[in-house]
Amino acid sequence: MRVPRLLALLSLVLLTGCVGSPLHNATHPDRQFYEKDGHHIVVLKQPDHWAAWYDGKKLFYFVPNLNELKPIQVEAIEHVSGCKVMDARHFANGQPAYLMAHVICPDGTTL
């Protein structure tokens, strides 16, 4: 029984440092928060995209309908980044409603 717990703990420690992992993202000091219509969105610039995910603010919660949530997430990324979202899609990475987006900025740079 101790071996599976030890392996789980070791895996968690290893994932803490992985860029883009749920634990890394959830504790990243540069993450920013956006709220609209009672939806709490976390926004973070990743090395190759912008990310936004839903934060239910509780231990147990339901994730809203993705079609309802996506425009709010896009708005959150545009607000935080100061850029326009060109394309965005939800991606299953272990975080609730994780949205990957690519943007174009006023100076012409893209991410």
Side-chain angles (χ1 to χ4, degrees):
M1 187 70 160
R2 290 183 184 262
V3 172
R5 286 184 184 172
L6 181 61
L7 288 176
L9 180 61
L10 181 60
S11 297
L12 187 62
V13 168
L14 290 174
L15 286 176
T16 301
C18 295
V19 173
S21 73
L23 185 57
H24 180 265
N25 289 345
T27 59
H28 198 286
D30 293 335
R31 70 192 188 285
Q32 296 188 45
F33 304 92
Y34 185 83
E35 185 173 343
K36 183 175 183 180
D37 299 333
H39 298 300
H40 304 278
I41 307 297
V42 184
V43 178
L44 180 62
K45 183 179 180 183
Q46 301 286 7
D48 62 347
H49 67 277
W50 278 87
W53 61 91
Y54 183 74
D55 180 5
K57 297 282 194 178
K58 297 177 185 174
L59 184 58
F60 298 105
Y61 56 87
F62 291 103
V63 176
N65 179 297
L66 296 182
N67 291 328
E68 174 188 339
L69 201 56
K70 186 175 180 178
I72 297 170
Q73 290 174 293
V74 167
E75 184 178 314
I77 291 171
E78 290 179 342
H79 176 79
V80 170
S81 70
C83 304
K84 179 79 174 149
V85 171
M86 296 183 304
D87 64 80
R89 64 182 171 91
H90 283 106
F91 180 75
N93 82 330
Q95 289 177 267
Y98 186 90
L99 186 80
M100 294 176 59
H102 293 96
V103 300
I104 185 164
C105 299
D107 65 1
T109 59
T110 60
L111 178 68

